[in-house]
Amino acid sequence: MDEIRGVPTWQEELASLVDAGLRYDGAPIDLTAATESATSKRSGYLDGSGSEGRETLKDQVTGFMKSWGEMLLHLAKGCKDIVEQTVVTDDSFVVRNLAKPAAHVSKKLSFMNEYLPEDRDPVHAWPVIFFVFLLALAALSFSPEQDRPVVVIKKLRLHPTNAARVQLPDGRYLAYQELGVPAGRARYSLVTPHSFLSSRLAGIPGVKKSLLVEYGVRLVSYDLPGFGESDPHRGRNLSSSASDLINLAAAIGIDEKFWLLGYSTGSMHSWAAMKYFPEKIAGAAMVAPVINPYEPSMAKEEMVKTWEQWLTKRKFMFFLARRFPALLPFFYRRSFLSGKLDHLDQWMSLSLGEKDKLLLEDPAFQEFYQRNVEESVRQGITKPFVEESVLQVSSWGFTLSEFRTQKKCTTNGVLSWLMSMYSEAECELVGFRKPIHIWQGMEDRVAPPSMSDYIGRMIPEATVHKIPNEGHFSFFYFCDGCHRQIFYALFGEPKGQLEKVRETKETLVETETDKDSTSAATTTTKE
């Protein structure tokens, strides 16, 4: 131990005395000095200019960490060698069972290599990108407490079932709600599918019954499949959604043409009904309509103006819905399907204008919003929400330009083509050819004005109402003047409900016709 500390043994001291030629002259030996000299050597100090300082705690910790680092490095290298020699060999259990599935997945994802720079090896680049992706997820899910004040989280309640339901031809049940005048006295029937994270209870939020009676409107809203009290629909698409809407109208006695009202993402279901069943529709109103943000026919400027209005997390959710929809349930179960109520803009990653923010703080809106969300997530399953998100960003099966009024000429074969050169070909006007009204708030950051600009460019016959200083919610929710404006544009001057009607199997007819025939008969009798 003394050798390690740098203190010479007694044999070395004796040898040094002999080599130096020292002789004992009988003088007393100073033991104190010898003790101090030995102590100073043990302390690590040397006399003269070559003295060394005492080792500090920091130096000891640094040395300890370096030693541990070297040990871990050697351990990692050893583990790597073991894995290479036992696990990833051609005849190992792991390679035999996972080589083919991994190759299949790698082939399906090979299209993503096109986004890498030419000098980057995918084998090395994608692990780094995946690691950064995990860090981004962690950053998105992290919300420091100092960002906003802590609020009391409300819990969502499950209410008793009380909706009216109709059975569709395939056996499913669809829940609906009626407001306004009864079926027998309705001058106009207005059907509205709801938007994402909503239900049949929305309808036209805050619309007054007196306004519906004044215009004689029968307002029908319904739960989309899997929402509220409607049964889910396996393999749902926009074509089946249009069929559900038409079957509902027929089941509740709407035999004549009716009007459609589409709000936000619910507008795509209205477009689908207009596409597949135009003969049933009298006209349509779209309020803040949301279209497919990946629509290839959008101009570059329209695309840029649309995407720049959205938050990063909202863009990310659109990307997941388009490319990796299987990951959406992870986020939905931690937001609106968690059983707790949070602010709408936080759940949906919405960027809102000033009027929308003020509306969201209104107690009337908050009460409506909570009840509507509770009904929307009643079934507690993620599938209908995933389906709705995927439908929004996928190909709809039709384009909005198909609703444009245009001339279509039929030429059957070469003979018809030759005859058309000398005479006018048989042509007809095609397209929707019914009134289409669009209301767009110019401060809307959820469905930016660029989307309505695109719709107006695709359908020149559509009437676009641009509302200054209005947002996505402020023009439609609890706005009496806005509701009256919509009704006036669709129906003109209010005429009230029908006074008296008689029912037949085909339709409902005003009894004024009966009165006229009765008076004519009376006149004939007098004569």
Side-chain angles (χ1 to χ4, degrees):
M1 185 63 70
D2 291 338
E3 292 178 359
I4 296 175
R5 295 176 180 175
V7 180
T9 62
W10 65 273
Q11 293 94 339
E12 293 174 345
E13 291 181 348
L14 178 60
S16 64
L17 292 175
V18 174
D19 293 339
L22 297 178
R23 296 292 184 271
Y24 177 63
D25 56 1
I29 300 175
D30 188 358
L31 297 178
T32 305
T35 304
E36 292 178 355
S37 176
T39 303
S40 64
K41 290 181 179 180
R42 291 189 184 95
S43 304
Y45 287 95
L46 298 176
D47 295 336
S49 59
S51 61
E52 297 180 358
R54 183 186 298 272
E55 185 178 22
T56 63
L57 177 62
K58 179 180 179 181
D59 297 332
Q60 294 176 0
V61 172
T62 303
F64 177 78
M65 296 302 296
K66 287 182 178 179
S67 300
W68 266 103
E70 293 176 357
M71 292 174 60
L72 292 176
L73 179 62
H74 288 296
L75 178 62
K77 290 181 177 179
C79 293
K80 178 183 177 183
D81 294 338
I82 293 174
V83 171
E84 290 179 348
Q85 296 173 13
T86 59
V87 179
V88 297
T89 57
D90 295 337
D91 58 345
S92 67
F93 174 81
V94 175
V95 173
R96 287 198 309 269
N97 289 273
L98 297 181
K100 291 184 179 180
H104 179 68
V105 173
S106 177
K107 183 178 179 180
K108 293 194 68 174
L109 298 179
S110 61
F111 72 93
M112 301 182 68
N113 294 335
E114 299 176 1
Y115 299 98
L116 295 176
E118 296 180 357
D119 57 343
R120 292 289 184 266
D121 184 5
V123 176
H124 298 93
W126 285 118
V128 176
I129 294 175
F130 181 72
F131 178 72
V132 173
F133 174 74
L134 293 180
L135 290 180
L137 284 182
L140 289 172
S141 61
F142 176 73
S143 178
E145 295 181 356
Q146 61 268 22
D147 284 351
R148 56 175 179 162
V150 178
V151 297
V152 177
I153 301 297
K154 298 181 180 179
K155 292 186 178 181
L156 298 178
R157 295 174 295 175
L158 183 62
H159 298 265
T161 58
N162 60 357
R165 303 205 305 171
V166 297
Q167 188 172 19
L168 302 178
D170 61 0
R172 292 181 294 114
Y173 283 89
L174 209 64
Y176 70 97
Q177 173 183 268
E178 289 193 52
L179 295 176
V181 300
R185 306 181 69 179
R187 190 176 295 275
Y188 307 104
S189 295
L190 181 61
V191 181
T192 171
H194 63 77
S195 59
F196 189 85
L197 194 59
S198 188
S199 71
R200 70 184 184 281
L201 301 181
I204 302 177
V207 65
K208 293 186 179 300
K209 184 177 180 180
S210 58
L211 180 64
L212 297 174
V213 173
E214 182 181 354
Y215 276 87
V217 174
R218 177 191 184 189
L219 178 63
V220 179
S221 56
Y222 65 98
D223 289 328
L224 295 173
F227 290 77
E229 298 185 34
S230 289
D231 294 339
H233 185 196
R234 182 177 299 178
R236 180 164 67 102
N237 53 37
L238 287 181
S239 176
S240 67
S241 179
S243 298
D244 287 350
L245 192 154
I246 298 300
N247 289 329
L248 169 67
I252 61 177
I254 302 179
D255 300 315
E256 296 182 344
K257 293 183 179 181
F258 57 90
W259 292 77
L260 289 173
L261 173 61
Y263 168 69
S264 190
T265 57
S267 60
M268 65 178 173
H269 303 286
S270 297
W271 291 118
M274 295 161 60
K275 163 63 180 176
Y276 296 110
F277 301 94
E279 71 282 358
K280 298 287 187 180
I281 311 301
M286 305 289 180
V287 181
V290 177
I291 63 172
N292 180 0
Y294 295 96
E295 174 58 48
S297 59
M298 289 183 70
K300 183 178 180 180
E301 183 180 1
E302 294 168 341
M303 187 81 72
V304 171
K305 289 184 177 180
T306 296
W307 284 87
E308 69 182 5
Q309 295 291 331
W310 293 334
L311 299 177
T312 303
K313 188 174 180 180
R314 182 169 175 81
K315 298 177 184 177
F316 177 67
M317 298 301 289
F318 276 127
F319 169 76
L320 289 184
R322 185 169 175 84
R323 292 293 187 183
F324 306 102
L327 298 179
L328 291 177
F330 172 82
F331 295 92
Y332 293 165
R333 292 193 185 99
R334 283 157 181 77
S335 54
F336 52 82
L337 290 176
S338 64
K340 298 178 181 179
L341 184 70
D342 202 351
H343 291 285
L344 179 63
D345 54 336
Q346 296 294 328
W347 269 353
M348 305 300 295
S349 304
L350 304 179
S351 176
L352 302 178
E354 292 301 323
K355 292 198 71 171
D356 281 343
K357 291 179 180 179
L358 290 175
L359 176 66
L360 264 60
E361 297 299 326
D362 189 339
F365 175 86
Q366 292 180 353
E367 181 181 358
F368 160 82
Y369 164 64
Q370 178 174 351
R371 182 65 184 91
N372 190 36
V373 171
E374 289 171 344
E375 190 63 27
S376 178
V377 301
R378 165 185 291 276
Q379 301 185 35
I381 54 178
T382 61
K383 185 179 178 181
F385 297 96
V386 174
E387 290 174 340
E388 197 73 2
S389 297
V390 172
L391 285 176
Q392 185 65 52
V393 299
S394 304
S395 173
W396 289 1
F398 58 88
T399 61
L400 297 185
S401 61
E402 298 178 27
F403 298 102
R404 176 189 308 178
T405 301
Q406 48 193 334
K407 184 181 294 186
K408 181 180 180 182
C409 301
T410 57
T411 55
N412 299 324
V414 179
L415 181 60
S416 298
W417 176 74
L418 291 174
M419 293 178 62
S420 66
M421 296 177 63
Y422 299 97
S423 61
E424 186 175 354
E426 295 183 2
C427 299
E428 61 177 348
L429 293 177
V430 296
F432 185 64
R433 303 183 63 191
K434 311 284 180 60
I436 301 177
H437 289 267
I438 299 170
W439 281 268
Q440 177 65 56
M442 300 308 293
E443 299 298 325
D444 192 341
R445 301 179 186 176
V446 181
S450 54
M451 287 190 169
S452 293
D453 292 340
Y454 166 77
I455 298 174
R457 183 168 62 86
M458 290 291 101
I459 315 175
E461 297 81 11
T463 303
V464 180
H465 308 266
K466 296 185 177 182
I467 315 299
N469 304 320
E470 294 289 352
H472 190 71
F473 301 97
S474 60
F475 181 77
F476 192 58
Y477 283 69
F478 300 94
C479 179
D480 298 338
C482 308
H483 301 159
R484 180 173 291 277
Q485 180 180 341
I486 293 173
F487 281 12
Y488 181 80
L490 298 182
F491 311 128
E493 293 292 341
K495 299 178 182 178
Q497 58 186 336
L498 301 180
E499 293 298 331
K500 295 181 180 181
V501 297
R502 61 180 179 83
E503 294 191 13
T504 66
K505 292 184 178 180
E506 290 83 13
T507 184
L508 298 172
V509 184
E510 287 189 74
T511 57
E512 293 177 358
T513 305
D514 298 338
K515 291 181 180 179
D516 295 338
S517 60
T518 302
S519 60
T522 304
T523 305
T524 304
T525 304
K526 290 181 179 179
E527 292 176 353

